[in-house]
Amino acid sequence: MRLLYSDILIPLDQAPIQMGMLVVSESGKIEEIVSPNSENYSLENAQYYAGALIPGFVNAHCHLELSHLKNKVSRHTQLDGFVEELMSVRSASQEEISSSMKAAEEELFTKGCVAVGDISNGSASFQIKQGSKIQFHTFIERFGLSADVASRSFESGISLLNSLQELNLNGSLSPHAPYSVSDKLIDMIIEHCLDNHSIMTIHHQESHSENDLFQSGQGPMLERFQRMGISASGFNAKGKSSASWLADRIHTNQKIMLVHNTFSNREDVQAIHVKTKNAYFCLCPKANLYISNALPNLNMLLEEECELIIGTDSLASNDSLDMLDELRTIQNAFPSISSPDLFRWACLNGAKAMGMENNLGSFSIGKTPGIVNISNFNAKEMLILPESEARIV
Ligand SMILES: [Zn+2]
């Protein structure tokens, strides 16, 4: 047994407990939570952690495959500039790609991630995932604007998914973004996710230009397609936002994870909610600042009662894979949000989104959620400080 206590214990399935103690089995299972006014409370053999103890983070959106692109793409170029630059620097030796992914996986774990939703276009990350302490859910991502390539893109996704599952790793198919798939391809993926009871993720309203393209069929995104030689001839202006288009396509109460939502408005969120109550809105604030120097309208998302989850996105658009840094960024921009709420999004909601809530996301008896110490945490005012750090313990 391990006994751990800290200035504030934040179990997430009950109110925070000052000087609360965790009783944990050797395998990491939560056996008991003891408050200082209980007669079972004894500091003998207990280890003290200054700051807070919280459950392990569930990072809902990452791209291990892009780990070698740290500091290689300029900031604030907006999404279309970012993608163009990314494509020009993406290639690297297998060795460089592998060692960067391994370093990223280690950073994720030491900074407290016990589970990660990771986007993969190929199989390069599978071996690292197989040997990892992190539970990965791999989203096999598919592209293709032309309906002619839909079947081929879908079938190659299925074959990647099969090789993932042969390694006993979890995953599902996902479309890259509303602007990069045909109706035919996204419909095939939607059906596959429904048939397999799996969650689908999609990059969503990360740029103004996505909205322009859907509304009018014009704008910077179309110009980028032309510069990059991507045929957008099959893309007709929809006269509606990509959120409305997506809501039309998904099934009632389909489980879906919408990533970014930087330029989503109230009508967009309502359109999704009318169709499904099983939607999770993933925030990757540091990537949004890196690419667009903008943040989602968090007050609106809260007013619309969105289920919020948190991701780091990739090292191509972030200087770290540190979930606490994402939460600090949100707290700085929206000081009225309490840190237990932020931790709930980053732990419990992420676990729910990825179907891992039976074992992860809170210090509930019987779970094995991982334990993270937030040092230099202001336990009195429940504030993440500039010097706060997260570490798995
Ligand atoms: Zn992404």
Side-chain angles (χ1 to χ4, degrees), residues 61-63 66 119 141 203 206 259-260 284 313-314:
H61 187 75
C62 189
H63 300 244
L66 303 180
I119 305 282
E141 182 179 78
H203 294 88
E206 191 179 355
V259 180
H260 291 303
C284 305
D313 214 337
S314 75

Short mmCIF file of all heavy atoms in Angstrom, two decimals, residues 61-63 66 119 141 203 206 259-260 284 313-314, ligand 1:
data_model
loop_
_atom_site.label_atom_id
_atom_site.label_comp_id
_atom_site.label_asym_id
_atom_site.label_seq_id
_atom_site.Cartn_x
_atom_site.Cartn_y
_atom_site.Cartn_z
N HIS A 61 -6.34 15.01 -27.58
CA HIS A 61 -5.95 15.29 -28.97
C HIS A 61 -4.45 15.55 -29.08
O HIS A 61 -3.94 16.55 -28.57
CB HIS A 61 -6.72 16.50 -29.51
CG HIS A 61 -6.47 16.74 -30.97
ND1 HIS A 61 -7.03 15.95 -31.95
CD2 HIS A 61 -5.72 17.66 -31.62
CE1 HIS A 61 -6.64 16.39 -33.14
NE2 HIS A 61 -5.83 17.42 -32.97
N CYS A 62 -3.78 14.64 -29.77
CA CYS A 62 -2.34 14.76 -29.96
C CYS A 62 -2.02 14.15 -31.33
O CYS A 62 -2.86 13.46 -31.92
CB CYS A 62 -1.66 13.98 -28.83
SG CYS A 62 0.13 14.20 -28.76
N HIS A 63 -0.84 14.46 -31.85
CA HIS A 63 -0.35 13.82 -33.09
C HIS A 63 1.10 13.42 -32.81
O HIS A 63 2.00 14.22 -33.10
CB HIS A 63 -0.32 14.78 -34.27
CG HIS A 63 -1.60 15.41 -34.71
ND1 HIS A 63 -2.16 15.17 -35.94
CD2 HIS A 63 -2.42 16.31 -34.10
CE1 HIS A 63 -3.26 15.91 -36.08
NE2 HIS A 63 -3.43 16.60 -34.97
N LEU A 66 3.82 13.96 -35.53
CA LEU A 66 4.36 15.27 -35.90
C LEU A 66 5.38 15.79 -34.90
O LEU A 66 5.77 16.96 -34.93
CB LEU A 66 3.21 16.29 -36.06
CG LEU A 66 2.11 15.93 -37.06
CD1 LEU A 66 1.05 17.03 -37.10
CD2 LEU A 66 2.69 15.72 -38.46
N ILE A 119 -3.93 11.12 -33.09
CA ILE A 119 -4.24 11.06 -34.52
C ILE A 119 -3.07 10.40 -35.26
O ILE A 119 -1.92 10.81 -35.08
CB ILE A 119 -4.41 12.49 -35.09
CG1 ILE A 119 -5.47 13.28 -34.32
CG2 ILE A 119 -4.70 12.44 -36.59
CD1 ILE A 119 -6.88 12.96 -34.64
N GLU A 141 -6.70 8.63 -39.18
CA GLU A 141 -7.26 9.81 -39.86
C GLU A 141 -7.23 9.64 -41.37
O GLU A 141 -6.21 9.25 -41.94
CB GLU A 141 -6.43 11.02 -39.44
CG GLU A 141 -6.92 12.32 -40.02
CD GLU A 141 -6.06 13.48 -39.54
OE1 GLU A 141 -4.95 13.67 -40.08
OE2 GLU A 141 -6.51 14.20 -38.65
N HIS A 203 -11.24 17.51 -36.72
CA HIS A 203 -10.83 18.91 -36.51
C HIS A 203 -12.00 19.78 -36.94
O HIS A 203 -12.59 19.55 -38.00
CB HIS A 203 -9.61 19.24 -37.36
CG HIS A 203 -8.37 18.51 -36.95
ND1 HIS A 203 -8.05 17.26 -37.43
CD2 HIS A 203 -7.39 18.84 -36.09
CE1 HIS A 203 -6.90 16.87 -36.89
NE2 HIS A 203 -6.48 17.80 -36.08
N GLU A 206 -11.43 25.32 -37.00
CA GLU A 206 -10.14 25.79 -36.48
C GLU A 206 -9.76 27.12 -37.12
O GLU A 206 -8.86 27.80 -36.64
CB GLU A 206 -9.06 24.71 -36.76
CG GLU A 206 -7.74 24.94 -36.06
CD GLU A 206 -6.70 23.86 -36.35
OE1 GLU A 206 -7.05 22.87 -37.02
OE2 GLU A 206 -5.55 24.02 -35.89
N VAL A 259 -12.72 18.90 -32.38
CA VAL A 259 -11.45 19.44 -31.88
C VAL A 259 -11.21 20.86 -32.38
O VAL A 259 -11.29 21.11 -33.60
CB VAL A 259 -10.28 18.53 -32.31
CG1 VAL A 259 -8.95 19.09 -31.79
CG2 VAL A 259 -10.49 17.12 -31.78
N HIS A 260 -10.95 21.76 -31.49
CA HIS A 260 -10.58 23.18 -31.66
C HIS A 260 -11.76 24.12 -31.43
O HIS A 260 -11.78 24.84 -30.46
CB HIS A 260 -9.90 23.49 -33.00
CG HIS A 260 -8.54 22.89 -33.10
ND1 HIS A 260 -7.56 23.15 -32.18
CD2 HIS A 260 -7.99 22.00 -33.98
CE1 HIS A 260 -6.46 22.47 -32.51
NE2 HIS A 260 -6.70 21.76 -33.58
N CYS A 284 -7.78 23.01 -27.48
CA CYS A 284 -6.31 22.93 -27.56
C CYS A 284 -5.81 24.37 -27.58
O CYS A 284 -5.34 24.86 -28.62
CB CYS A 284 -5.87 22.20 -28.83
SG CYS A 284 -6.57 20.55 -29.03
N ASP A 313 -2.71 18.98 -28.81
CA ASP A 313 -2.35 18.98 -30.23
C ASP A 313 -0.89 18.54 -30.35
O ASP A 313 -0.35 17.93 -29.42
CB ASP A 313 -2.61 20.34 -30.88
CG ASP A 313 -3.04 20.19 -32.34
OD1 ASP A 313 -2.74 19.15 -32.95
OD2 ASP A 313 -3.69 21.10 -32.88
N SER A 314 -0.22 18.82 -31.47
CA SER A 314 1.11 18.24 -31.69
C SER A 314 2.21 19.25 -31.41
O SER A 314 1.96 20.44 -31.26
CB SER A 314 1.24 17.80 -33.13
OG SER A 314 1.42 18.94 -33.95
ZN ZN B 1 -4.87 18.10 -34.65
#
